[in-house]
């Protein structure tokens, strides 16, 4: 029976039952069995990547989009990128954040920019988390919220993003009037080699921001 096959597979290859249920089994006689249906990850990712690459060709005016005026190719690029982003393609989501936050084309839409940025940030990407923080810091889509900005900067900083650390330092040191915290975040970024943070830290020492002169 199928249950006997599963039991044999677990015992023979020292696999957990959950692993067998999730990933299926392939037996010595060539028979394979998948117990939990899922869309094959490789096919799914290849489709998303193909859509993303098509979008980027239009974005940069390459391939079929070569010579096409920007006002024509950018909307087409966004259409392809949205198809990829809907399949959770991280780079497509980040590119849509950039596209919809660009004022130079008619599709400028801060709400969509924030939406796609959040989708990417929630995947744990530190660049997207930085961008999410900046949306809240700048008040894009009328949503200025320094507490949310700090939360997203901290998520990126926890992944050793020195730019996020520097941004926290500047936010605390110059906008939120908490110079000690500002100095500490700049110092952390500077110690990890961020050159702008090193320059800013020198300024803080010179001006006595968060530290005695």
């Amino acid at each position: 029976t199928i249950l006997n096959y599963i039991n044999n597979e677990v015992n023979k290859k020292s696999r957990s039952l959950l692993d067998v249920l999730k990933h299926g089994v392939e037996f010595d006689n060539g028979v394979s069995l998948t117990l939990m249906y899922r869309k094959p990850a490789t096919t799914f990712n290849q489709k998303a990547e193909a859509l993303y690459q098509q979008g980027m060709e239009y974005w940069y005016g390459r391939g079929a989009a070569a010579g096409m005026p920007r006002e024509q190719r950018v909307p087409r690029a966004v259409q392809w990128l949205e198809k990829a982003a809907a399949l959770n393609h991280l780079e497509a989501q980040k590119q849509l954040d950039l596209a919809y936050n660009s004022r130079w084309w008619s599709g400028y839409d801060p709400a969509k920019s924030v939406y796609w940025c959040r989708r990417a940030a929630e995947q744990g990407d530190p660049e997207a988390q930085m961008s999410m923080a900046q949306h809240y810091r700048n008040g894009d889509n009328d949503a200025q919220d320094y507490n949310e900005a700090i939360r997203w900067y901290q998520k990126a900083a926890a992944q050793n993003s020195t730019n996020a650390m520097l941004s926290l330092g500047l936010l605390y040191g110059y906008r939120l009037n908490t110079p000690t915290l500002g100095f500490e975040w700049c110092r952390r970024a500077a110690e990890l080699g961020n050159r702008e943070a090193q320059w800013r830290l020198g300024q803080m020492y010179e001006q006595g921001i968060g530290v005695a002169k």
Side-chain angles (χ1 to χ4, degrees):
T1 66
I2 291 176
L3 289 177
N4 287 335
Y5 277 122
I6 294 171
N7 189 51
N8 289 338
E9 182 73 6
V10 170
N11 292 332
K12 180 176 64 177
K13 298 187 177 180
S14 300
R15 294 172 61 188
S16 69
L17 179 59
L18 179 59
D19 180 58
V20 172
L21 290 173
K22 288 176 67 176
H23 301 291
V25 293
E26 184 171 341
F27 306 109
D28 294 337
N29 60 4
V31 175
S32 60
L33 174 66
T34 301
L35 298 167
M36 289 184 179
Y37 171 77
R38 67 194 185 285
K39 189 183 291 293
T42 53
T43 302
F44 184 82
N45 292 339
Q46 286 172 359
K47 180 179 180 181
E49 180 64 20
L51 292 167
Y52 168 72
Q53 292 297 336
Q54 185 70 35
M56 295 308 291
E57 283 204 352
Y58 277 100
W59 183 265
Y60 288 115
R62 300 190 301 242
M68 185 180 293
R70 186 170 72 170
E71 60 271 17
Q72 294 180 19
R73 59 181 172 78
V74 169
R76 294 192 186 185
V78 167
Q79 289 176 354
W80 288 106
L81 290 168
E82 285 191 328
K83 291 178 181 180
L87 296 176
N88 226 29
H89 191 287
L90 176 64
E91 295 302 322
Q93 292 169 348
K94 290 163 65 175
Q95 188 66 28
L96 286 170
D97 173 27
L98 171 66
Y100 281 121
N101 204 36
S102 299
R103 296 176 182 271
W104 48 260
W105 74 299
S106 60
Y108 169 70
D109 189 330
K112 288 184 178 180
S113 175
V114 171
Y115 170 78
W116 286 114
C117 183
R118 185 182 299 278
R119 289 278 301 270
E122 287 174 349
Q123 291 199 60
D125 182 81
E127 288 184 0
Q129 291 168 344
M130 270 282 298
S131 184
M132 197 70 212
Q134 288 163 348
H135 282 307
Y136 278 112
R137 183 198 65 190
N138 298 334
D140 296 335
N141 197 32
D142 299 321
Q144 189 172 62
D145 187 329
Y146 287 145
N147 289 330
E148 277 296 293
I150 289 168
R151 186 171 75 87
W152 285 106
Y153 278 138
Q154 288 177 337
K155 284 179 179 289
Q159 299 188 68
N160 288 325
S161 168
T162 59
N163 286 330
M165 295 174 192
L166 171 60
S167 295
L168 281 166
L170 298 178
L171 184 59
Y172 277 121
Y174 294 96
R175 288 203 187 186
L176 299 181
N177 197 30
T178 48
T180 301
L181 275 175
F183 176 84
E184 285 304 314
W185 279 110
C186 275
R187 182 183 61 79
R188 285 181 61 182
E191 288 176 350
L192 290 173
N194 187 297
R195 297 184 68 178
E196 184 180 352
Q198 292 166 352
W199 179 73
R200 291 284 188 176
L201 193 66
Q203 279 193 321
M204 287 180 166
Y205 274 115
E206 183 179 356
Q207 298 168 11
I209 297 174
V211 64
K213 284 188 178 181

